[in-house]
Amino acid sequence: MDRKTYTAELAGLRELRIEITAAEKTVAAAQKELDKLTDRRARRVAGLAGYEGAQAPAIAKASGLSVGDVVRIAPLLDPTPAAVRAAKADGQAAAPTPAPEVPEAEPAVAVAPTLTRPAPAVEQLAPAVPVTEAPTEVEDQVGAEQLAVLQTGSATSAPGETEPGVQAASDRTTTSIPGAIGQHPVAPVAAAPRPVVEAGPRELPTLPEGPAGARFEAVTTGLVSKRPNFTQQARATVFLDAAAGMLAIRDQVVRVDLGARTPGEILDAVQATAPGTERVYITAGAPWHDGAERYSTLKDAVAAWLNAPSERWTTAVGSGRDKLAGHFVHQRQPVGRYAPASAPDSGSTEIRSMGEWFDPDGADVVTCRQAFTLLWQALRRHWDDAVLMGSPSQTGRDLWSRTIPTTGKWAGGYPVLSEELRGLLHATGGQGRTELILPPRVPEQLPALVEYDRTFAYAKHLWKSPVGTPRRITAAAFAAMSEVEQTKALMSCSHWNVRVTVPAGWNHVGLLPAPVTGDRAWVYPSTPGETFVTWAGGAEIHLALSNHLAPWRIEVLGGLLFEDGKPLDEWGKRLKAAWADLTNLSKLHGDERQRTAAYLASRAVRSVLLFGLGGFAQRPRLVSGTTPIGEALPTGVEILGQDESVVTWQRQAGFSRDPYAHPEWAAYVWSGARAALLDMKYRQGKEVIGYAGALHAKPGSVVYFGTDGIALTERQMWPYRGEPGDYLLKGHLTGPVEHPTSQEEYLKLRGLGRAELAAKGADQ
């Protein structure tokens, strides 16, 4: 560079300085104006909080803020129930309460299969805050077993389109999903350190006396499950193999360039090929796991992928009654919702995992799309207005809502129980039984590992369910009943608080769940003389009293007796019919691709029932979100982790006012399924023609319980008819086999057993 050029560049630099100064003044003026407008908005939000009927979601939508931002401005709008906030605050302020001592076991003696009649006056334990059940491992269930399916307050939806979790654009609210075991291999991720918590007794809530107890025999005013008066709208859907870059659109397959496989690049490629697409199912490739090794947890990796910056796409904020907003962060089945950055109100596109519906297990993208087509056709034969929604839980609840009767006692809909009663059921009604039984109760070396799985298990337990307002049964009232009345009460839809004693000489598996702290919320005591207090459904209590080995000692402390109804019966019958159609097609069709597609579609029907049932549970929301580093965190949060830009947190958010919240139905079905793992009758008409279940296997031969299946050390002569609830031989690993010492070891052995049985071509 010569001197002349240098002088000219200096002059140009001075001119640029002047332009920058002017631009800075313009920006400063604009920022000042923006600050004034933001301040005015904050004052208006705070002012709206003075209205008694004000709701944070509505204000958030009108203001363009997230629900979390609205609550930070106006804490009065926090949707968390006051009782939950107060209980949480009290729990943080109070010193830890020591776990209750287990009473010393009395010498157990053989008793007749009748109930111990307690004294009329029974001491009531102090009411406890409802406890969310600890995550449990859910066995052999496609995708993420979202048994706790909830809706947060950051978005609105049509009845029946409730999402496991909903995230606002900036608050990014999500919901924790208990017990998901994924089906897809992922890059190794360093696990976040977890405190070691030893399991110990956990005190469960009881029914309080006086006016407080009346709320446990009540329903929520103005909250009823009603039949919808609208038809769901189908979404334009495509299927993408993200590993191979193959996109299935209607009846054609197109190869697309996905670039670095970020959400924005995937959406660009899809929309360029199939404009107007509203939903993309990833059938293979799991792009949300790309670079997972860089993060401390898999959830952090998925969150980072969902929120990857894009010039053309932004997080959807939702509009209208059936438009869900934000992302759902889940380790293996996430949901991303995006809108064009240039027109965020023009509509959104979802990116979802095929694993929500079924495990593709290597099926190509065309087969997955065909499975969806067959699923829709099968459901359409039983519902004229059937629409496949984003997830099985949404679809299941929507289909159920269209079976609500139009005549009879419940034509106006099914009332929703009081929040107090729902909290009690959540705290005391466990899900599927998951238990690994260790030596010396079983041999160190197993002669074999034989797996049985109950086919379409929950479908067998939908014929009867509790309805209406329950009647409270005190210990004295139960003691005053005759034995016939007691048996009738237990055989009815009921939920009981009991003191249990394992009988002397008992040498088999435990029958009833006992509450504990730690990683597992429930264990199943089986030591003779052991005594514990718990809650359980009538089916389980009746089995403990009347099993063919030895009756257990049961003292009823109280309970809830519902009216017997059939709110799930029609829904279950239609789903079973659709499942049977697809199962038969998967065996008889002449084309291999169609057989595979039909099998996958039958698995999807199972997910619709399973997730739909879990959706009724409506557990208290555990929401998570992110806050930029340097900004104040919301109150009462637990920090999960952080990166260079944001802190990830979670907190309890109480119950939502959901017209489809029926934990009494989920709890009753789960209780019946747990009882059937122990003892199930094969019937021909009204005649019992056989038995199956753990209690019909030899003592010491049961190795594992896994929600709807069990593993044993030897084969059983249990007939298999292909009907819901039947025990199917699923795997057989020839021994000797070293006993698994952990869940992970068992799952590996289970896989080997299934492979060995498949190789032998067992005719089951």
Side-chain angles (χ1 to χ4, degrees):
M1 179 182 294
D2 56 16
R3 183 173 182 82
K4 182 177 180 181
T5 303
Y6 175 75
T7 302
E9 286 294 325
L10 282 178
L13 189 59
R14 284 192 289 269
E15 292 175 359
L16 185 59
R17 182 196 67 191
I18 294 171
E19 292 176 6
I20 291 175
T21 301
E24 287 175 343
K25 290 181 179 179
T26 301
V27 170
Q31 184 63 50
K32 185 176 181 181
E33 181 63 19
L34 177 61
D35 291 342
K36 288 170 59 178
L37 293 173
T38 303
D39 186 59
R40 283 172 56 191
R41 179 174 65 178
R43 288 198 300 272
R44 288 194 178 186
V45 168
L48 287 172
Y51 172 57
E52 184 177 357
Q55 294 186 346
I59 296 175
K61 183 176 179 181
S63 63
L65 295 170
S66 71
V67 173
D69 291 332
V70 169
V71 170
R72 280 192 285 273
I73 295 170
L76 287 175
L77 296 175
D78 190 342
T80 307
V84 175
R85 291 198 303 270
K88 188 173 182 65
D90 292 342
Q92 292 173 341
T97 303
E101 295 182 3
V102 178
E104 183 177 349
E106 301 174 357
V109 296
V111 294
T114 56
L115 294 163
T116 301
R117 297 176 181 267
V122 176
E123 180 182 358
Q124 294 289 333
L125 300 175
V129 178
V131 180
T132 302
E133 182 179 352
T136 58
E137 289 76 16
V138 182
E139 286 307 300
D140 193 27
Q141 297 175 1
V142 292
E145 292 300 70
Q146 299 156 357
L147 299 178
V149 182
L150 327 161
Q151 182 181 8
T152 67
S154 60
T156 56
S157 67
E161 186 160 359
T162 305
E163 190 62 17
V166 179
Q167 272 178 284
S170 57
D171 200 23
R172 293 196 288 278
T173 306
T174 63
T175 302
S176 171
I177 300 298
I181 291 185
Q183 305 290 335
H184 307 289
V186 298
V189 178
R194 298 178 60 187
V196 177
V197 180
E198 292 191 14
R202 171 168 56 93
E203 186 174 333
L204 295 177
T206 59
L207 296 168
E209 299 287 355
R215 292 291 300 156
F216 290 82
E217 299 178 77
V219 296
T220 303
T221 304
L223 198 58
V224 180
S225 303
K226 295 183 178 180
R227 193 183 185 105
N229 57 4
F230 63 92
T231 301
Q232 293 288 359
Q233 298 301 308
R235 305 286 182 88
T237 302
V238 298
F239 300 81
L240 174 65
D241 181 338
M246 304 303 294
L247 182 68
I249 314 166
R250 299 183 182 89
D251 58 351
Q252 60 179 319
V253 180
V254 180
R255 183 177 295 278
V256 291
D257 182 5
L258 302 178
R261 306 204 314 172
T262 64
E265 289 171 297
I266 289 175
L267 292 172
D268 286 341
V270 169
Q271 293 292 352
T273 308
T277 294
E278 297 174 276
R279 185 171 292 141
V280 181
Y281 281 111
I282 305 295
T283 65
W288 40 81
H289 292 152
D290 289 352
E293 66 280 356
R294 301 196 304 267
Y295 298 87
S296 59
T297 69
L298 199 54
K299 193 169 185 177
D300 286 345
V302 173
W305 183 86
L306 289 170
N307 293 291
S310 171
E311 294 181 357
R312 288 175 293 278
W313 297 93
T314 186
T315 304
V317 296
S319 63
R321 71 179 183 180
D322 63 345
K323 300 289 187 181
L324 292 165
H327 306 316
F328 168 48
V329 181
H330 184 269
Q331 289 92 326
R332 291 174 175 82
Q333 316 297 348
V335 180
R337 296 188 181 90
Y338 303 92
S342 59
D345 296 328
S346 63
S348 64
T349 303
E350 295 180 334
I351 298 178
R352 309 186 74 115
S353 169
M354 192 83 268
E356 293 184 74
W357 294 85
F358 52 76
D359 178 9
D361 194 25
D364 61 35
V365 68
V366 176
T367 304
C368 290
R369 185 192 180 281
Q370 185 59 29
F372 246 57
T373 301
L374 292 175
L375 172 63
W376 177 79
Q377 291 171 346
L379 294 175
R380 197 77 169 186
R381 286 193 284 271
H382 304 283
W383 280 274
D384 292 339
D385 51 358
V387 171
L388 296 182
M389 303 174 71
S391 71
S393 59
Q394 296 169 359
T395 303
R397 290 212 321 182
D398 181 67
L399 293 177
W400 171 79
S401 70
R402 297 172 194 280
T403 66
I404 295 176
T406 56
T407 59
K409 181 176 181 179
W410 305 108
Y414 295 98
V416 174
L417 301 178
S418 68
E419 187 169 317
E420 290 83 353
L421 185 47
R422 279 183 280 155
L424 177 76
L425 288 166
H426 292 313
T428 60
Q431 300 177 6
R433 178 173 181 171
T434 304
E435 181 186 21
L436 177 63
I437 300 175
L438 300 172
R441 295 168 59 191
V442 290
E444 292 279 0
Q445 274 206 336
L446 308 177
L449 186 64
V450 184
E451 179 197 359
Y452 285 90
D453 181 71
R454 295 188 65 219
T455 298
F456 207 20
Y458 288 164
K460 187 177 177 65
H461 303 283
L462 303 177
W463 65 278
K464 183 176 75 171
S465 301
V467 290
T469 307
R471 176 165 60 98
R472 179 178 180 177
I473 306 295
T474 63
F478 192 87
M481 292 181 181
S482 67
E483 290 185 13
V484 173
E485 291 172 328
Q486 290 178 347
T487 301
K488 182 179 179 181
L490 291 174
M491 295 297 287
S492 299
C493 296
S494 52
H495 194 56
W496 301 96
N497 186 203
V498 292
R499 180 175 288 111
V500 183
T501 301
V502 182
W506 185 260
N507 65 345
H508 220 300
V509 297
L511 304 187
L512 293 171
V516 294
T517 58
D519 286 345
R520 296 193 182 278
W522 305 94
V523 295
Y524 293 81
S526 60
T527 304
E530 189 170 358
T531 298
F532 57 95
V533 175
T534 191
W535 283 81
E540 294 172 279
I541 301 295
H542 186 264
L543 174 64
L545 289 165
S546 61
N547 73 85
H548 65 286
L549 298 178
W552 285 34
R553 181 180 177 184
I554 306 291
E555 179 184 351
V556 171
L557 306 178
L560 295 165
L561 185 60
F562 290 83
E563 178 182 342
D564 290 352
K566 293 183 175 293
L568 304 178
D569 187 47
E570 180 63 26
W571 180 64
K573 286 178 178 177
R574 297 188 194 185
L575 289 177
K576 282 188 284 188
W579 171 82
D581 292 344
L582 291 166
T583 300
N584 290 334
L585 187 64
S586 71
K587 297 175 181 177
L588 302 176
H589 201 286
D591 181 77
E592 183 178 356
R593 183 190 294 276
Q594 288 291 86
R595 289 198 302 271
T596 301
Y599 170 74
L600 295 177
S602 72
R603 300 296 292 175
V605 174
R606 177 182 181 272
S607 297
V608 168
L609 188 149
L610 187 69
F611 294 169
L613 178 66
F616 292 124
Q618 288 293 288
R619 295 189 177 276
R621 295 170 298 164
L622 181 63
V623 301
S624 63
T626 57
T627 300
I629 289 179
E631 293 187 11
L633 295 174
T635 57
V637 303
E638 174 190 356
I639 297 176
L640 299 177
Q642 70 178 59
D643 58 23
E644 64 276 3
S645 58
V646 297
V647 176
T648 303
W649 47 262
Q650 69 178 16
R651 68 175 175 180
Q652 286 273 357
F655 291 93
S656 60
R657 187 176 170 84
D658 190 332
Y660 296 100
H662 289 285
E664 69 277 20
W665 297 347
Y668 186 75
V669 172
W670 290 335
S671 174
R674 290 194 300 268
L677 275 184
L678 299 166
D679 177 71
M680 192 195 79
K681 298 178 177 64
Y682 289 92
R683 298 181 183 273
Q684 188 170 331
K686 294 185 178 180
E687 181 184 357
V688 177
I689 60 173
Y691 297 89
L695 292 185
H696 298 280
K698 293 179 182 178
S701 67
V702 180
V703 178
Y704 187 79
F705 288 96
T707 303
D708 53 4
I710 57 177
L712 308 159
T713 60
E714 58 187 21
R715 288 207 189 189
Q716 306 296 317
M717 299 301 293
W718 298 337
Y720 183 71
R721 306 162 298 178
E723 297 180 6
D726 283 3
Y727 279 84
L728 169 67
L729 178 63
K730 201 73 172 289
H732 185 152
L733 183 61
T734 303
V737 179
E738 289 294 326
H739 188 288
T741 59
S742 67
Q743 169 101 3
E744 291 73 20
E745 288 186 15
Y746 167 76
L747 294 177
K748 291 179 182 178
L749 294 176
R750 185 188 72 174
L752 295 174
R754 291 183 178 182
E756 180 180 318
L757 185 64
K760 291 179 178 178
D763 184 18
Q764 291 289 332

